[in-house]
Amino acid sequence: MSNGKNPRNVLTKEDYDDLGKTHPAIPDLADALHQGRLARRDFLRTVTLLGLSAGAAYGLAGRIAGDGSVTSARAQESPKMGGHLNWSMNVKDISDPAIYDWSEKGNVARQILDPLCRVYPDNVTRPYLAERWEVSDDLKTWTFHLRQGVKWNNGDDFNADDVVFNFKRWLDPATGSSNLGRFSSMTVKEGDSTRMVDGAVEKIDDHTVRFNLATADLALPESMGDYPALIAHRRFADEGGNLIQNPVGTGPFLLRDFAVGERAVFTKRDPAEYWGDEIFLDGLTIVDHGDDHSAWLSALVSGQVQGLYRLINDLVPVVRGAPHLKLYETVTGQTGVARMKVTAAPFDNPLVRRAIQACIDHEKLLAFAYQGLGVPGEDHHVSPVHPEYYALPKLTQDYELARRLLAEAGYTDDNPLDVTIDCVTQPSWEPNTCQVIAEMVKPAGIIMNVNIMPGGTYWDRWTTAPLGFTSWTHRPLGVQVLNLAYRTGVPWNESSYSNPDFDATLDRALGLLDPDQRREVMGELERILQGDAVIIQPYWRSVFTASHQNVHGFEIQPAEELYFTKVWMA
């Protein structure tokens, strides 16, 4: 090794041999980073997925780059024990973790339950209830070693039976879990139904589980960190199947009081019973202030709460001007899509979908609807923040093309295309975006009515509306959201999109370890989805939140996941 003055350090043969013991692909990835062919971000994300610890990955990246480390040390005050934290966020029904469809549900439940893996604020996935894992060369056999000494808050030991129970339940189509798409590498189609492959989840011993995949899946640990993949107790179903009534978990807090639309109250577990580091807070209350985000901010400013789940972009200037508040911001893969159900008229006609797509100026849409705080979308749901993003030629607004496509589809000035887009009242960027889209399609002769609905009403029909606007949270890899939203037959495929070429190409992408190779295949996926004009994907959002200055240790996470295990109050 060099002395660190050379910006490109050289690894020794012994270094490469040691790396290869973790996974044979890691030495090649280290060499690609050393030669400048692989970005540091992509290196960190990939080698941690292959089983290298995050600490070792960061240290290795620092050695190769010659800077000694990747992150700078920050002086911190000594954390203070005690205090009860109040946080503003909608409180939704958390009865069954397997069927969560809102991030807020996961944010309440993860105070009680833990995932096998966790995606941290740096967007790198690390083990959590899992301690480590190994993966085969073909990415089809994953062996997870579970953390020992973890206790459920009812006194039971956490073990492999808990993991096997959850996966079998998630991948039972009768459950209705979005995990059926999330873990599609463990499923097989049988007619119109999808089920788990026999032997996909194998208990090796009390603290070892092996996953035998039907198709390769690099994103398996990433998917285990998503909010519908929180691990419930192995007797969850037998004991009523309701987390509110029976809040058994391995997490840092105990649920003391809960009311949908009002509050969720927690106290920390006895440190002797909790597997993680001791929690600084005595307790936590999540308070529901409704759908009006100005009410959230008013509660923060007045001191009713010390932090917010989310700060909408319209209110960012208020926080910037308040010296007693902190502003948090991160660039993400969060977005919203105006999606067309391809099985419902008139959107079953691709000419109609392409005509609407041709009316959109994505840069103006970002500027008008979201104050320019993000990146224009490209109608394929893969973000520039994703490591496998492939840059396609930019879409351009073309009203002449739109009118020509509409005429071919049978729509004229005397018989205009008249459609309605459903969306929620709050947050305001969603109806604002729909209003701008409706204005943009007018010059082509399209009438688009905007039906703004209360959240509860809209989310009861979000998968059935012929044309609807849906917000989608961040996922670390682009292949993940494509698996969830556009693969044939999966529960969250709200557009009812079905394209065998897309599915097969997605399988190929999930099986590619090399980021450059995966990027090329992702280009094919982006072209297919964009060409089929399934969605108008306006932009990728920067997201914000805020807290009081006396809140320490809080970090904003790209998917807005709330963890309070390191938070303390001065």
Side-chain angles (χ1 to χ4, degrees), residues 59-386:
L60 178 60
R63 289 172 63 197
I64 292 172
D67 58 12
S69 75
V70 176
T71 56
S72 60
R74 294 180 297 175
Q76 294 186 352
E77 301 177 62
S78 296
K80 180 181 176 182
M81 301 296 294
H84 191 99
L85 183 70
N86 297 307
W87 212 261
S88 185
M89 185 184 73
N90 291 137
V91 176
K92 301 179 181 296
D93 179 25
I94 62 165
S95 300
D96 187 350
I99 58 172
Y100 286 172
D101 50 6
W102 278 69
S103 297
E104 291 92 329
K105 295 181 179 182
N107 276 337
V108 173
R110 71 167 49 89
Q111 310 314 317
I112 314 166
L113 304 177
D114 292 315
L116 286 174
C117 305
R118 176 178 163 189
V119 181
Y120 281 72
D122 62 359
N123 207 33
V124 172
T125 299
R126 296 168 171 82
Y128 209 58
L129 281 179
E131 190 170 52
R132 59 187 172 85
W133 60 79
E134 298 103 29
V135 57
S136 63
D137 294 359
D138 63 2
L139 304 179
K140 288 185 177 181
T141 305
W142 295 74
T143 303
F144 275 69
H145 303 275
L146 306 181
R147 194 177 295 275
Q148 299 189 39
V150 175
K151 291 280 188 183
W152 293 92
N153 58 30
N154 67 356
D156 291 342
D157 289 322
F158 164 71
N159 60 38
D161 292 330
D162 296 301
V163 176
V164 172
F165 160 77
N166 279 273
F167 272 87
K168 286 185 175 181
R169 185 165 182 264
W170 293 340
L171 302 183
D172 180 350
T175 303
S177 175
S178 62
N179 288 326
L180 205 59
R182 191 169 282 104
F183 300 107
S184 61
S185 56
M186 300 184 202
T187 66
V188 62
K189 292 280 291 181
E190 289 185 343
D192 295 332
S193 182
T194 301
R195 65 166 180 85
M196 188 175 78
V197 172
D198 293 337
V201 184
E202 178 187 0
K203 176 182 174 181
I204 304 301
D205 59 40
D206 282 349
H207 292 93
T208 310
V209 177
R210 182 167 294 144
F211 298 95
N212 303 299
L213 312 187
T215 56
D217 186 1
L218 175 67
L220 186 66
E222 306 265 20
S223 297
M224 291 178 180
D226 212 346
Y227 66 86
L230 295 168
I231 299 294
H233 191 279
R234 54 189 174 272
R235 294 195 302 273
F236 174 80
D238 293 339
E239 294 179 354
N242 190 314
L243 187 65
I244 300 170
Q245 297 173 4
N246 188 32
V248 176
T250 57
F253 292 96
L254 302 172
L255 182 65
R256 296 303 190 191
D257 187 25
F258 182 89
V260 172
E262 297 181 23
R263 66 193 172 278
V265 183
F266 305 89
T267 57
K268 77 171 180 180
R269 287 180 65 179
D270 183 336
E273 298 176 356
Y274 174 54
W275 64 269
D277 295 333
E278 185 173 4
I279 307 304
F280 304 124
L281 298 170
D282 288 335
L284 164 71
T285 297
I286 296 174
V287 185
D288 193 321
H289 288 102
D291 292 335
D292 183 356
H293 285 256
S294 62
W296 297 23
L297 184 56
S298 295
L300 179 66
V301 171
S302 66
Q304 297 176 50
V305 298
Q306 290 78 49
L308 307 178
Y309 162 58
R310 177 181 295 151
L311 180 73
I312 61 171
N313 59 307
D314 295 349
L315 300 176
V316 167
V318 179
V319 174
R320 290 193 195 278
H324 68 297
L325 300 181
K326 292 181 186 178
L327 179 69
Y328 307 84
E329 176 182 1
T330 187
V331 178
T332 76
Q334 298 218 30
T335 188
V337 297
R339 60 104 191 116
M340 294 165 273
K341 186 167 281 294
V342 300
T343 55
F347 307 107
D348 55 348
N349 188 335
L351 297 172
V352 169
R353 303 197 303 270
R354 289 174 54 208
I356 293 174
Q357 183 185 60
C359 295
I360 305 303
D361 183 325
H362 292 77
E363 291 190 4
K364 288 182 179 178
L365 189 50
L366 172 64
F368 294 156
Y370 206 67
Q371 302 177 29
L373 300 173
V375 178
E378 301 171 15
D379 297 352
H380 54 56
H381 214 143
V382 183
S383 168
V385 305
H386 290 135

Side-chain angles (χ1 to χ4, degrees), residues 5 75 91 312 354 384 436 442 447:
K5 294 181 181 179
V91 176
I312 61 171
R354 289 174 54 208
V436 175
K442 277 185 180 179
I447 301 169

Side-chain angles (χ1 to χ4, degrees), residues 423-479:
C423 64
V424 294
T425 306
Q426 292 288 346
S428 59
W429 67 269
E430 297 190 38
N432 289 350
T433 302
C434 292
Q435 296 283 8
V436 175
I437 291 173
E439 289 298 316
M440 282 188 172
V441 300
K442 277 185 180 179
I446 299 172
I447 301 169
M448 184 177 289
N449 309 287
V450 180
N451 180 28
I452 303 174
M453 309 164 71
T457 304
Y458 176 73
W459 290 108
D460 283 342
R461 56 170 296 180
W462 74 283
T463 59
T464 60
L467 175 60
F469 190 89
T470 304
S471 60
W472 282 85
T473 195
H474 170 92
R475 265 89 190 181
L477 299 178
V479 289

Side-chain angles (χ1 to χ4, degrees), residues 38 62 82 106 119 191 244 261 294 304 369 376 379 402 405 413 423 468 473 481-482 513 554 567:
L38 183 64
V119 181
I244 300 170
S294 62
Q304 297 176 50
D379 297 352
L405 291 167
D413 290 342
C423 64
T473 195
V481 74
L482 299 185
L513 178 60
F554 176 79
V567 174

